[in-house]
Amino acid sequence: MAAAAFRIEHRLGIPAPASVIWEVLSDLPRWGEWNPLYTRAEGALRIGEALALTEAAPGLQPAALNPRIVDWVPDAQILWRASERWGLVSRLRYLEIETLSDEGCIFANGEDWYGRFARYVDRSRRRALYEGMEAMSHALRERAIELWRAGGEAPTSRAS
C-alpha cells in the first residue's frame, strides 16, 4: 500500500495492566456504555469479520461504518480497514496497547488515511476525529482504572 496521505493519532498513558485495558477494548458490545467516539459496536474480533459501528465524532453527524478486522492480538492491538467515497478513500484504524510495566501502558488510538482523494478530507473533519479519539482514549483510561479497582487492585500512587 502507498504511503498514508495523513495520520490522525492520540496517545495516552493508562495506569493499568494491558490485560485490563484489553478486557475493555475487546468487549465490543459494551462500547456504547463508555466510548464517546463509537457509540455502537457490533461484531466479533475475527480476521475478516465485518463490524457495524456508529462513529460519533464531536460536531459531526453520527455515521455508520462497516469496517473489516485486518488483525488483532490479545493485550496488544486491534486493526480494521474501512473505505468510503466509492472506495477512493481507505482508513486503516488502529487501537494499540504498549506495555511499559505491570501497572502501566501507552494507548495509541489512531487512523491512517490512504487513497486518491484522502488528501481532500476536510480539516474540520480531521479535527473532529482527533477530538473523538482523544475523548475515547480518556474514557478508556477511566473505564480500565475502574475495572482494575473493582477487581480488588488499584493503581499505585505513582501511576495515577
Side-chain angles (χ1 to χ4, degrees), residues 9-12 14 31 34-39 56-58 93 107 109 127-143:
E9 180 183 66
H10 184 265
R11 296 173 64 84
L12 181 70
I14 300 180
W31 277 20
W34 64 269
N35 192 331
L37 181 57
Y38 298 105
T39 56
R93 186 78 166 91
F107 177 61
N109 179 10
R127 183 72 189 158
L129 289 170
Y130 174 82
E131 290 172 3
M133 288 175 191
E134 181 179 34
M136 178 183 171
S137 294
H138 285 280
L140 174 64
R141 181 183 195 273
E142 295 308 311
R143 183 73 166 215

Side-chain angles (χ1 to χ4, degrees), residues 5 7-8 19 27 29-31 33 35 50 52 70 72 89 91 98 107 128 130 141 154:
R7 170 177 279 188
I8 304 169
S19 61
D27 190 359
R30 297 188 76 180
W31 277 20
E33 296 174 15
N35 192 331
V70 174
W72 66 276
V89 175
R91 301 164 63 176
E98 177 186 350
F107 177 61
Y130 174 82
R141 181 183 195 273

Side-chain angles (χ1 to χ4, degrees), residues 47-71:
I47 294 174
E49 177 82 10
L51 301 178
L53 305 174
T54 299
E55 184 178 72
L60 300 178
Q61 290 293 321
L65 294 179
N66 297 104
R68 290 209 176 269
I69 297 289
V70 174
D71 196 12

Side-chain angles (χ1 to χ4, degrees), residues 59-97:
L60 300 178
Q61 290 293 321
L65 294 179
N66 297 104
R68 290 209 176 269
I69 297 289
V70 174
D71 196 12
W72 66 276
V73 177
D75 297 346
Q77 73 176 1
I78 300 172
L79 298 172
W80 71 65
R81 183 179 317 282
S83 63
E84 54 186 67
R85 298 184 186 181
W86 307 282
L88 297 173
V89 175
S90 183
R91 301 164 63 176
L92 180 63
R93 186 78 166 91
Y94 57 91
L95 306 171
E96 295 177 336
I97 305 165

